[in-house]
Structures are given as structure tokens and as C-alpha cells.
Amino acid sequence: MPSEDYAALLERIGRVKDVNSAIGLLSWDQEVYMPPKGAPARGQQLATLSAISHRMFTGKEVGELLDRLGGDTSLSADATKLVEETRYDYDRATRLPESFVQKFSEERSKAYEAWVRAKGENNFEGFRPNLETIVDLSKQKADLMGYEGSPYNALLEDYERGMTTEQLRPIFSELAERQSNLVERIAASGRAPDTAWLDTEWDRDAQWDFTIRILRDMGYDLEAGRQDESVHPFTTDFDLYDVRVTTRINTNNPFEAIMASIHEGGHGLYEQGFLASDQRTILGEAISLGIHESQSRLWETLIGQSRPFWEHYAEVLRQAFPEQLKNVSNDAVYRGVNKVQPTLRRLDADECTYNLHIILRFEIEVALIEGDLKVADIPGLWKAKMKQYLGLDVPDDARGCLQDIHWSHGSIGYFPTYTLGNLYAAQFLEKLLEDLPTLWEEVGAGNFAGLLTWLRAKVHQVGRRKQPAELVRDVTGKDPSSEAYLDYLEKKYGELYDL
Ligand code: ZN
């Protein structure tokens, strides 16, 4: 019999989540359907609802309920966990004074506008003062939140709980060394696949149907979700039974939409996989961005760029595009999907180079927050690191340090989760293959039921019951590390490029 306090807490959290879902729906609409002139009003609506949600959650009644429930030994294990997780969120949400939150939010809006302009004009100076303010505020935020070791840890905590700069440094330096070495050997191999067959027109509707077909095959429930188009693909959820994904269609390259849909489908399956009994509670949520990204990257790269996957789906794609693919073998499709090519833009990066883009950003962010780097010196350091890791000369800042939106949003500490997602995914796959030795045969038949069942049981249904590193350890028996990912990359690309 749940106590009155516990029922009151559930009700309060449920209502906060209702408001947050309304915020999510307005944001989804903003990206998918809203006419451009609706932006200012939408900004106000979102600000009003965000303030309401924050006040509802941080009210002192919630603190009092949590104080009383914190000592309640009659609660079940799940209820105890739920109280602990709510306490964690509550403490973090109340640690920053409202004046600071307000100031940070205003400076972020200014920084975003300055960034859009500076990027368009290829003028880093136009963004520099704003970024200096964001870095200063981020340092203040770290002090207010508290930390051990590097102040960057306080920022990382927002995106990847429990992860530290001290843990990431050795993992990332090994990745940087071995991945840039791999990229060099690939370039020297002279075995770049011929992808001239891609240079043609790819019908929009046929692409759309193909992405829906794959989402359905993956097990994404279209009765509890939908796909739309947006400039930047994303996944959002308003409830366990309303999880939406978006994709982006390029009529010059069908693989953009295919990979975006598989990626977002992986995120969507995670959100659709929480326990029904956790619906409208804090336990039915993703534990971290790194774990979230492990789900999207597992489907997109480890599965969606595998040979068995394309043995099956190249045939399906050929039915949709008989003219374009009549002289292209399944093997050529597989090789085309896995072409390695260092790029200036992170968003264009392939599996072998992606982490290098992230490591460069991580190193710059840590140096900024630890006080070893001035904002004015970012462009120079960016160019030096792009040369070192990817062998590329950066022609201008628009294609260099101004390319990402994250810093203008004040999201320092976010980037590492992309790479952690790759690493966790490879660790999960290693274990998955032990538990499900027929995985590749099933994938080769377009059958993902075994894979999804495993992910549901091991990852999705856990929700917020475990910390990210704890989850990885419990599932794989190992700490988060770069080993599985590097083994995977070196084996796959060693074979593809005859290294
Ligand atoms: Zn993602």
C-alpha cells in the first residue's frame, strides 16, 4: 500500500511531465510544421511553459515530500529508486539561483543570434565575446553545482552522469591515436570504393517508403509513433505511446534519409521500450545521452552499415530504384555505405573519423573550462588539431570552429556523449553476439526480433534504475572502454580496405 506522500509525489511528477510533454510537442511542431513567422510567439509560449514546469518541480512541497519519503523504509525497491532519482533531479534543479538561470538563458539567446550571424559571415570575432560570456557562466555553473577533480566534471554530469574528465582522457587519447592511424592507412591503401552510381536522381516518395519499411522491420511501433521530415533529424517523446522521429530527404543521396531514419529509429525504440509500469514516472526515462546514443548508433552503424544488413536491403532498395541500381552489386552498396573520407564537418563524418571530431571538441572544452585556453585561441587550435587528427587544412572558421550549434546553446559537456554512445554500442554488440550467436543470420534476413528483445531486456526496460557506467558493467561485465569499438573498426575496415 503506497503511502499518501508517495502518491502525492507521483501525482506531482506526473503533472510536471505533462507540462514537459506539451513543451516537447510545441518544440516538435516548431521543427516540423510551424511557419517561420510563428517563431517569436512560439519562443514566448515555450518560455512561459518552461517557467511553469520549473516552478512546479522545484516548489518546496516537493522538497518536503522528498525529505519525508527519503527515510521511508516501507517503500518497495522501485519506489525507493524513484524517490532517489527525483531527489537527484530536485537537488540539481534547485542548486542554481533563479537569477543565474535567468542570466544564463538571456546570454544563450544572444549567443545563438551572434553565432548564426558569425557563421554566415565567417567571422569568429563576431561570436568571440558571446562565447567568452558562455565560458565564464559555465565556469560559474560548475562552481555552483560543485565537483571533484576537473571543473568540467560538473558540466559533464548534466549529460553523462558519473562520467569524469579523468576517466575520459585516457580512453579518448587511445581512440585518437588508433583511429587517426587507421584513417591514414585507409587513405594510403588506394582502395576507395567507386560511388559514381550515386550521382543520379533518387525519388523522394520511394525514399520515404523505404525508410518507413525499415522502421517497421526494426520493430518501431508506428501506432505509437510517427515519422516526419525536418532539417535536422531528431527524436522526441511525449509519452510511452507517442514517440516521434524525423528524417531528412536528399534527392541526390538516398543514404542520408536511410541512415537518419535508422539512427532516429534506434532512439525511438529506446523510448518505446520503457516499462509500461513506469509510464508517466521518472523511472521511464533515458538514463543518459550516452546510453541514448548507444541505441541509435548500434542500429545505424553496427547493424545498418553491416554486410548482412546490405545483403538483404540492397535487394529491397533495388526494387524501389530498379534503374539506379540495375548495375550495382550488393557488395558495391555495402562498400559505398562504408566509404571513409575525412571531412571538415562533423555531421558528414563516417565511422572511422567521427570520434576524432568529438575528441577535438572535448579537448578544447576542457582546456577552456580548466582555464588553459582563451576563447580567442580556439580557431588556431582547431586548425592544428584538424591537421593532426584528420590531415585536413581548415579553410575558414565557418567550416571550422563555428560549425556546431552546441556552444551557442551553452551546452558545454555534451559532445563526449556522442563518442561514448559509439563505445557503449560496440560493447553491447560484443555481448549480444555471445548471447545471440545467430544475430548476423537474422539481420541478413531482415529479422530484428532477437536483437530488439535483447535490447529491451538489457537496456530499454531498465530506464533510470541504473547509472550509465553501471548499466554497461552489468550488461557486458566490463567498464566503459574503447577496446570493443577499436577492435570492431580495425577488423571491419581492415577487411574493407585490405589493410
Ligand atoms: Zn542521436
PDB file of all heavy atoms in Angstrom, residues 90-116:
ATOM      1  N   TYR A  90      15.919  17.025  -8.299  1.00  0.00           N
ATOM      2  CA  TYR A  90      15.474  18.174  -7.499  1.00  0.00           C
ATOM      3  C   TYR A  90      16.687  18.966  -6.991  1.00  0.00           C
ATOM      4  O   TYR A  90      16.734  20.184  -7.093  1.00  0.00           O
ATOM      5  CB  TYR A  90      14.628  17.675  -6.317  1.00  0.00           C
ATOM      6  CG  TYR A  90      14.090  18.772  -5.432  1.00  0.00           C
ATOM      7  CD1 TYR A  90      12.951  19.484  -5.807  1.00  0.00           C
ATOM      8  CD2 TYR A  90      14.726  19.097  -4.237  1.00  0.00           C
ATOM      9  CE1 TYR A  90      12.458  20.496  -4.992  1.00  0.00           C
ATOM     10  CE2 TYR A  90      14.232  20.107  -3.423  1.00  0.00           C
ATOM     11  CZ  TYR A  90      13.099  20.810  -3.805  1.00  0.00           C
ATOM     12  OH  TYR A  90      12.617  21.816  -3.012  1.00  0.00           O
ATOM     13  N   ASP A  91      17.674  18.252  -6.474  1.00  0.00           N
ATOM     14  CA  ASP A  91      18.864  18.931  -5.950  1.00  0.00           C
ATOM     15  C   ASP A  91      19.581  19.700  -7.046  1.00  0.00           C
ATOM     16  O   ASP A  91      20.030  20.815  -6.845  1.00  0.00           O
ATOM     17  CB  ASP A  91      19.832  17.919  -5.311  1.00  0.00           C
ATOM     18  CG  ASP A  91      19.307  17.434  -3.965  1.00  0.00           C
ATOM     19  OD1 ASP A  91      18.352  18.051  -3.452  1.00  0.00           O
ATOM     20  OD2 ASP A  91      19.840  16.440  -3.439  1.00  0.00           O
ATOM     21  N   ARG A  92      19.697  19.088  -8.231  1.00  0.00           N
ATOM     22  CA  ARG A  92      20.391  19.786  -9.318  1.00  0.00           C
ATOM     23  C   ARG A  92      19.575  20.991  -9.792  1.00  0.00           C
ATOM     24  O   ARG A  92      20.118  22.032 -10.107  1.00  0.00           O
ATOM     25  CB  ARG A  92      20.700  18.833 -10.473  1.00  0.00           C
ATOM     26  CG  ARG A  92      21.873  17.903 -10.119  1.00  0.00           C
ATOM     27  CD  ARG A  92      22.359  17.084 -11.285  1.00  0.00           C
ATOM     28  NE  ARG A  92      23.088  17.810 -12.307  1.00  0.00           N
ATOM     29  CZ  ARG A  92      24.366  18.158 -12.227  1.00  0.00           C
ATOM     30  NH1 ARG A  92      25.083  17.863 -11.175  1.00  0.00           N
ATOM     31  NH2 ARG A  92      24.940  18.812 -13.225  1.00  0.00           N
ATOM     32  N   ALA A  93      18.258  20.817  -9.839  1.00  0.00           N
ATOM     33  CA  ALA A  93      17.414  21.919 -10.334  1.00  0.00           C
ATOM     34  C   ALA A  93      17.374  23.083  -9.356  1.00  0.00           C
ATOM     35  O   ALA A  93      17.124  24.218  -9.753  1.00  0.00           O
ATOM     36  CB  ALA A  93      16.000  21.408 -10.603  1.00  0.00           C
ATOM     37  N   THR A  94      17.603  22.817  -8.069  1.00  0.00           N
ATOM     38  CA  THR A  94      17.498  23.899  -7.081  1.00  0.00           C
ATOM     39  C   THR A  94      18.863  24.472  -6.687  1.00  0.00           C
ATOM     40  O   THR A  94      18.932  25.413  -5.917  1.00  0.00           O
ATOM     41  CB  THR A  94      16.789  23.415  -5.794  1.00  0.00           C
ATOM     42  OG1 THR A  94      17.417  22.206  -5.342  1.00  0.00           O
ATOM     43  CG2 THR A  94      15.315  23.145  -6.055  1.00  0.00           C
ATOM     44  N   ARG A  95      19.943  23.892  -7.217  1.00  0.00           N
ATOM     45  CA  ARG A  95      21.266  24.362  -6.824  1.00  0.00           C
ATOM     46  C   ARG A  95      21.636  25.685  -7.491  1.00  0.00           C
ATOM     47  O   ARG A  95      22.465  26.432  -6.979  1.00  0.00           O
ATOM     48  CB  ARG A  95      22.316  23.290  -7.139  1.00  0.00           C
ATOM     49  CG  ARG A  95      23.417  23.248  -6.096  1.00  0.00           C
ATOM     50  CD  ARG A  95      24.300  22.032  -6.280  1.00  0.00           C
ATOM     51  NE  ARG A  95      23.667  20.804  -5.854  1.00  0.00           N
ATOM     52  CZ  ARG A  95      24.121  19.588  -6.140  1.00  0.00           C
ATOM     53  NH1 ARG A  95      25.206  19.434  -6.864  1.00  0.00           N
ATOM     54  NH2 ARG A  95      23.487  18.520  -5.701  1.00  0.00           N
ATOM     55  N   LEU A  96      21.059  25.962  -8.651  1.00  0.00           N
ATOM     56  CA  LEU A  96      21.366  27.224  -9.334  1.00  0.00           C
ATOM     57  C   LEU A  96      20.327  28.268  -8.944  1.00  0.00           C
ATOM     58  O   LEU A  96      19.131  28.034  -9.105  1.00  0.00           O
ATOM     59  CB  LEU A  96      21.344  27.028 -10.857  1.00  0.00           C
ATOM     60  CG  LEU A  96      22.312  25.995 -11.430  1.00  0.00           C
ATOM     61  CD1 LEU A  96      22.101  25.854 -12.940  1.00  0.00           C
ATOM     62  CD2 LEU A  96      23.765  26.355 -11.144  1.00  0.00           C
ATOM     63  N   PRO A  97      20.783  29.451  -8.445  1.00  0.00           N
ATOM     64  CA  PRO A  97      19.818  30.502  -8.098  1.00  0.00           C
ATOM     65  C   PRO A  97      19.045  30.950  -9.344  1.00  0.00           C
ATOM     66  O   PRO A  97      19.577  30.914 -10.454  1.00  0.00           O
ATOM     67  CB  PRO A  97      20.691  31.652  -7.585  1.00  0.00           C
ATOM     68  CG  PRO A  97      22.081  31.155  -7.527  1.00  0.00           C
ATOM     69  CD  PRO A  97      22.169  29.848  -8.236  1.00  0.00           C
ATOM     70  N   GLU A  98      17.789  31.366  -9.132  1.00  0.00           N
ATOM     71  CA  GLU A  98      16.955  31.750 -10.272  1.00  0.00           C
ATOM     72  C   GLU A  98      17.579  32.878 -11.086  1.00  0.00           C
ATOM     73  O   GLU A  98      17.472  32.905 -12.306  1.00  0.00           O
ATOM     74  CB  GLU A  98      15.561  32.151  -9.783  1.00  0.00           C
ATOM     75  CG  GLU A  98      14.478  31.371 -10.511  1.00  0.00           C
ATOM     76  CD  GLU A  98      13.099  31.608  -9.926  1.00  0.00           C
ATOM     77  OE1 GLU A  98      12.785  30.910  -8.950  1.00  0.00           O
ATOM     78  OE2 GLU A  98      12.369  32.490 -10.427  1.00  0.00           O
ATOM     79  N   SER A  99      18.273  33.817 -10.391  1.00  0.00           N
ATOM     80  CA  SER A  99      18.912  34.930 -11.101  1.00  0.00           C
ATOM     81  C   SER A  99      19.977  34.408 -12.066  1.00  0.00           C
ATOM     82  O   SER A  99      20.126  34.917 -13.185  1.00  0.00           O
ATOM     83  CB  SER A  99      19.547  35.908 -10.101  1.00  0.00           C
ATOM     84  OG  SER A  99      20.484  35.210  -9.297  1.00  0.00           O
ATOM     85  N   PHE A 100      20.686  33.355 -11.651  1.00  0.00           N
ATOM     86  CA  PHE A 100      21.722  32.780 -12.524  1.00  0.00           C
ATOM     87  C   PHE A 100      21.081  32.100 -13.737  1.00  0.00           C
ATOM     88  O   PHE A 100      21.523  32.277 -14.875  1.00  0.00           O
ATOM     89  CB  PHE A 100      22.588  31.777 -11.749  1.00  0.00           C
ATOM     90  CG  PHE A 100      23.668  31.154 -12.594  1.00  0.00           C
ATOM     91  CD1 PHE A 100      24.886  31.796 -12.778  1.00  0.00           C
ATOM     92  CD2 PHE A 100      23.455  29.940 -13.234  1.00  0.00           C
ATOM     93  CE1 PHE A 100      25.880  31.240 -13.583  1.00  0.00           C
ATOM     94  CE2 PHE A 100      24.437  29.381 -14.045  1.00  0.00           C
ATOM     95  CZ  PHE A 100      25.645  30.028 -14.214  1.00  0.00           C
ATOM     96  N   VAL A 101      20.017  31.330 -13.491  1.00  0.00           N
ATOM     97  CA  VAL A 101      19.326  30.630 -14.575  1.00  0.00           C
ATOM     98  C   VAL A 101      18.809  31.631 -15.620  1.00  0.00           C
ATOM     99  O   VAL A 101      18.961  31.446 -16.825  1.00  0.00           O
ATOM    100  CB  VAL A 101      18.157  29.779 -14.021  1.00  0.00           C
ATOM    101  CG1 VAL A 101      17.348  29.155 -15.139  1.00  0.00           C
ATOM    102  CG2 VAL A 101      18.686  28.702 -13.082  1.00  0.00           C
ATOM    103  N   GLN A 102      18.236  32.726 -15.102  1.00  0.00           N
ATOM    104  CA  GLN A 102      17.705  33.781 -15.958  1.00  0.00           C
ATOM    105  C   GLN A 102      18.820  34.400 -16.812  1.00  0.00           C
ATOM    106  O   GLN A 102      18.700  34.538 -18.027  1.00  0.00           O
ATOM    107  CB  GLN A 102      17.050  34.860 -15.067  1.00  0.00           C
ATOM    108  CG  GLN A 102      16.410  36.011 -15.816  1.00  0.00           C
ATOM    109  CD  GLN A 102      15.197  35.551 -16.621  1.00  0.00           C
ATOM    110  OE1 GLN A 102      14.574  34.546 -16.274  1.00  0.00           O
ATOM    111  NE2 GLN A 102      14.879  36.259 -17.698  1.00  0.00           N
ATOM    112  N   LYS A 103      19.941  34.722 -16.149  1.00  0.00           N
ATOM    113  CA  LYS A 103      21.075  35.354 -16.828  1.00  0.00           C
ATOM    114  C   LYS A 103      21.638  34.422 -17.905  1.00  0.00           C
ATOM    115  O   LYS A 103      21.895  34.833 -19.045  1.00  0.00           O
ATOM    116  CB  LYS A 103      22.151  35.684 -15.772  1.00  0.00           C
ATOM    117  CG  LYS A 103      23.523  36.045 -16.295  1.00  0.00           C
ATOM    118  CD  LYS A 103      23.678  37.546 -16.408  1.00  0.00           C
ATOM    119  CE  LYS A 103      25.100  37.912 -16.828  1.00  0.00           C
ATOM    120  NZ  LYS A 103      25.112  38.993 -17.797  1.00  0.00           N
ATOM    121  N   PHE A 104      21.811  33.158 -17.547  1.00  0.00           N
ATOM    122  CA  PHE A 104      22.352  32.170 -18.489  1.00  0.00           C
ATOM    123  C   PHE A 104      21.437  32.065 -19.712  1.00  0.00           C
ATOM    124  O   PHE A 104      21.891  32.049 -20.860  1.00  0.00           O
ATOM    125  CB  PHE A 104      22.489  30.810 -17.800  1.00  0.00           C
ATOM    126  CG  PHE A 104      23.535  29.894 -18.413  1.00  0.00           C
ATOM    127  CD1 PHE A 104      24.016  28.792 -17.716  1.00  0.00           C
ATOM    128  CD2 PHE A 104      24.064  30.134 -19.677  1.00  0.00           C
ATOM    129  CE1 PHE A 104      24.984  27.955 -18.257  1.00  0.00           C
ATOM    130  CE2 PHE A 104      25.032  29.300 -20.228  1.00  0.00           C
ATOM    131  CZ  PHE A 104      25.488  28.204 -19.520  1.00  0.00           C
ATOM    132  N   SER A 105      20.133  32.036 -19.449  1.00  0.00           N
ATOM    133  CA  SER A 105      19.174  31.895 -20.536  1.00  0.00           C
ATOM    134  C   SER A 105      19.222  33.103 -21.481  1.00  0.00           C
ATOM    135  O   SER A 105      19.193  32.959 -22.710  1.00  0.00           O
ATOM    136  CB  SER A 105      17.799  31.664 -19.921  1.00  0.00           C
ATOM    137  OG  SER A 105      16.800  32.076 -20.793  1.00  0.00           O
ATOM    138  N   GLU A 106      19.324  34.309 -20.909  1.00  0.00           N
ATOM    139  CA  GLU A 106      19.409  35.515 -21.754  1.00  0.00           C
ATOM    140  C   GLU A 106      20.690  35.517 -22.585  1.00  0.00           C
ATOM    141  O   GLU A 106      20.665  35.826 -23.779  1.00  0.00           O
ATOM    142  CB  GLU A 106      19.394  36.783 -20.875  1.00  0.00           C
ATOM    143  CG  GLU A 106      18.022  37.140 -20.344  1.00  0.00           C
ATOM    144  CD  GLU A 106      18.109  38.140 -19.187  1.00  0.00           C
ATOM    145  OE1 GLU A 106      19.180  38.772 -19.016  1.00  0.00           O
ATOM    146  OE2 GLU A 106      17.117  38.254 -18.456  1.00  0.00           O
ATOM    147  N   GLU A 107      21.801  35.160 -21.936  1.00  0.00           N
ATOM    148  CA  GLU A 107      23.085  35.166 -22.656  1.00  0.00           C
ATOM    149  C   GLU A 107      23.111  34.106 -23.758  1.00  0.00           C
ATOM    150  O   GLU A 107      23.737  34.281 -24.791  1.00  0.00           O
ATOM    151  CB  GLU A 107      24.257  34.954 -21.686  1.00  0.00           C
ATOM    152  CG  GLU A 107      24.484  36.120 -20.731  1.00  0.00           C
ATOM    153  CD  GLU A 107      24.811  37.447 -21.432  1.00  0.00           C
ATOM    154  OE1 GLU A 107      25.269  37.421 -22.597  1.00  0.00           O
ATOM    155  OE2 GLU A 107      24.574  38.505 -20.822  1.00  0.00           O
ATOM    156  N   ARG A 108      22.413  33.004 -23.513  1.00  0.00           N
ATOM    157  CA  ARG A 108      22.333  31.956 -24.539  1.00  0.00           C
ATOM    158  C   ARG A 108      21.584  32.445 -25.757  1.00  0.00           C
ATOM    159  O   ARG A 108      21.985  32.175 -26.888  1.00  0.00           O
ATOM    160  CB  ARG A 108      21.646  30.710 -23.971  1.00  0.00           C
ATOM    161  CG  ARG A 108      22.590  29.780 -23.262  1.00  0.00           C
ATOM    162  CD  ARG A 108      22.008  28.388 -23.175  1.00  0.00           C
ATOM    163  NE  ARG A 108      20.628  28.424 -22.732  1.00  0.00           N
ATOM    164  CZ  ARG A 108      20.190  27.883 -21.603  1.00  0.00           C
ATOM    165  NH1 ARG A 108      21.030  27.249 -20.814  1.00  0.00           N
ATOM    166  NH2 ARG A 108      18.933  27.946 -21.268  1.00  0.00           N
ATOM    167  N   SER A 109      20.471  33.153 -25.540  1.00  0.00           N
ATOM    168  CA  SER A 109      19.712  33.684 -26.681  1.00  0.00           C
ATOM    169  C   SER A 109      20.581  34.632 -27.497  1.00  0.00           C
ATOM    170  O   SER A 109      20.604  34.570 -28.727  1.00  0.00           O
ATOM    171  CB  SER A 109      18.475  34.447 -26.220  1.00  0.00           C
ATOM    172  OG  SER A 109      17.664  33.591 -25.473  1.00  0.00           O
ATOM    173  N   LYS A 110      21.318  35.518 -26.803  1.00  0.00           N
ATOM    174  CA  LYS A 110      22.197  36.460 -27.511  1.00  0.00           C
ATOM    175  C   LYS A 110      23.306  35.708 -28.247  1.00  0.00           C
ATOM    176  O   LYS A 110      23.640  36.036 -29.389  1.00  0.00           O
ATOM    177  CB  LYS A 110      22.850  37.432 -26.514  1.00  0.00           C
ATOM    178  CG  LYS A 110      21.906  38.472 -25.951  1.00  0.00           C
ATOM    179  CD  LYS A 110      22.713  39.494 -25.139  1.00  0.00           C
ATOM    180  CE  LYS A 110      21.925  39.934 -23.917  1.00  0.00           C
ATOM    181  NZ  LYS A 110      22.777  40.565 -22.902  1.00  0.00           N
ATOM    182  N   ALA A 111      23.862  34.717 -27.582  1.00  0.00           N
ATOM    183  CA  ALA A 111      24.965  33.965 -28.186  1.00  0.00           C
ATOM    184  C   ALA A 111      24.480  33.218 -29.424  1.00  0.00           C
ATOM    185  O   ALA A 111      25.184  33.153 -30.442  1.00  0.00           O
ATOM    186  CB  ALA A 111      25.555  32.979 -27.178  1.00  0.00           C
ATOM    187  N   TYR A 112      23.261  32.679 -29.364  1.00  0.00           N
ATOM    188  CA  TYR A 112      22.733  31.948 -30.512  1.00  0.00           C
ATOM    189  C   TYR A 112      22.591  32.870 -31.731  1.00  0.00           C
ATOM    190  O   TYR A 112      23.024  32.547 -32.828  1.00  0.00           O
ATOM    191  CB  TYR A 112      21.381  31.305 -30.170  1.00  0.00           C
ATOM    192  CG  TYR A 112      20.731  30.645 -31.352  1.00  0.00           C
ATOM    193  CD1 TYR A 112      21.254  29.469 -31.879  1.00  0.00           C
ATOM    194  CD2 TYR A 112      19.615  31.214 -31.973  1.00  0.00           C
ATOM    195  CE1 TYR A 112      20.681  28.868 -32.994  1.00  0.00           C
ATOM    196  CE2 TYR A 112      19.033  30.614 -33.082  1.00  0.00           C
ATOM    197  CZ  TYR A 112      19.567  29.447 -33.590  1.00  0.00           C
ATOM    198  OH  TYR A 112      19.006  28.859 -34.693  1.00  0.00           O
ATOM    199  N   GLU A 113      22.015  34.051 -31.497  1.00  0.00           N
ATOM    200  CA  GLU A 113      21.876  35.016 -32.608  1.00  0.00           C
ATOM    201  C   GLU A 113      23.233  35.409 -33.163  1.00  0.00           C
ATOM    202  O   GLU A 113      23.434  35.482 -34.377  1.00  0.00           O
ATOM    203  CB  GLU A 113      21.148  36.274 -32.128  1.00  0.00           C
ATOM    204  CG  GLU A 113      19.647  36.106 -32.077  1.00  0.00           C
ATOM    205  CD  GLU A 113      18.974  37.341 -31.492  1.00  0.00           C
ATOM    206  OE1 GLU A 113      19.370  38.460 -31.860  1.00  0.00           O
ATOM    207  OE2 GLU A 113      18.063  37.165 -30.658  1.00  0.00           O
ATOM    208  N   ALA A 114      24.182  35.692 -32.262  1.00  0.00           N
ATOM    209  CA  ALA A 114      25.526  36.104 -32.692  1.00  0.00           C
ATOM    210  C   ALA A 114      26.198  34.972 -33.479  1.00  0.00           C
ATOM    211  O   ALA A 114      26.870  35.210 -34.490  1.00  0.00           O
ATOM    212  CB  ALA A 114      26.376  36.479 -31.486  1.00  0.00           C
ATOM    213  N   TRP A 115      25.974  33.733 -33.022  1.00  0.00           N
ATOM    214  CA  TRP A 115      26.591  32.579 -33.700  1.00  0.00           C
ATOM    215  C   TRP A 115      26.034  32.416 -35.119  1.00  0.00           C
ATOM    216  O   TRP A 115      26.798  32.210 -36.068  1.00  0.00           O
ATOM    217  CB  TRP A 115      26.356  31.303 -32.888  1.00  0.00           C
ATOM    218  CG  TRP A 115      26.714  30.054 -33.629  1.00  0.00           C
ATOM    219  CD1 TRP A 115      27.978  29.619 -33.920  1.00  0.00           C
ATOM    220  CD2 TRP A 115      25.817  29.105 -34.210  1.00  0.00           C
ATOM    221  NE1 TRP A 115      27.920  28.443 -34.644  1.00  0.00           N
ATOM    222  CE2 TRP A 115      26.615  28.111 -34.835  1.00  0.00           C
ATOM    223  CE3 TRP A 115      24.423  28.987 -34.269  1.00  0.00           C
ATOM    224  CZ2 TRP A 115      26.050  27.016 -35.498  1.00  0.00           C
ATOM    225  CZ3 TRP A 115      23.866  27.901 -34.930  1.00  0.00           C
ATOM    226  CH2 TRP A 115      24.667  26.933 -35.539  1.00  0.00           C
ATOM    227  N   VAL A 116      24.708  32.527 -35.269  1.00  0.00           N
ATOM    228  CA  VAL A 116      24.102  32.381 -36.593  1.00  0.00           C
ATOM    229  C   VAL A 116      24.715  33.409 -37.550  1.00  0.00           C
ATOM    230  O   VAL A 116      25.117  33.081 -38.671  1.00  0.00           O
ATOM    231  CB  VAL A 116      22.561  32.551 -36.533  1.00  0.00           C
ATOM    232  CG1 VAL A 116      21.961  32.627 -37.935  1.00  0.00           C
ATOM    233  CG2 VAL A 116      21.928  31.406 -35.749  1.00  0.00           C
TER     234      VAL A 116
END
